[in-house]
Amino acid sequence: MPHSNAVKIAGLDHINIQTPVVEETCTFFETIVGLKRGFRPDFPFPGAWLYSEGHPVLHINDISGTDREQRPDSGVIDHVAFGSRGFEAMKKHLAGKGIQHRVNQVPNSTRCQIFLRDPNNVEIELNYDTKNEPAA
């Protein structure tokens, strides 16, 4: 049964990572990816929200005080992708921090990608439309 025109997905709201290493995860996304820690509602469990341009795109749940085990990978989620700006600056930033990463040029496109892993072994994809980027 087709959906009506009133039913639409506006876009990805957020990603959630469950981890026993909340501070390490927050620090990675703040210092490496450039997200900012911000307001988080008073949920009955610890965690953090990280923001991009005023929107909480990454929710982190602290499982250190629970009997939940840290998954060794992202499960059925292969990676998390962020639309990004500052391709050349990010490459220099990652190299300066000693963060292993790989760069990919999307075929027949002005889109470039940077892939790296967070402290929980989640693959992070940063997407850049280089036609909108200043020349290096």
Side-chain angles (χ1 to χ4, degrees), residues 39-123:
F39 171 77
R40 178 181 179 267
D42 191 18
F43 291 111
F45 52 89
W49 281 11
L50 289 103
Y51 286 69
S52 173
E53 299 182 345
H55 186 78
V57 296
L58 181 60
H59 298 183
I60 300 173
N61 293 350
D62 184 353
I63 62 169
S64 63
T66 73
D67 60 358
R68 298 181 81 173
E69 292 186 21
Q70 171 73 42
R71 294 176 64 135
D73 61 20
S74 297
V76 297
I77 303 297
D78 182 68
H79 62 274
V80 176
F82 293 100
S84 306
R85 290 186 298 276
F87 178 67
E88 293 298 329
M90 180 56 84
K91 287 193 307 184
K92 289 177 187 169
H93 174 68
L94 294 173
K97 293 280 190 182
I99 301 293
Q100 288 189 330
H101 62 282
R102 67 180 173 84
V103 175
N104 182 53
Q105 170 71 51
V106 177
N108 304 312
S109 155
T110 58
R111 179 172 286 233
C112 289
Q113 303 166 309
I114 299 174
F115 292 90
L116 59 151
R117 292 202 173 264
D118 86 346
N120 304 287
N121 203 30
V122 175
E123 186 168 50

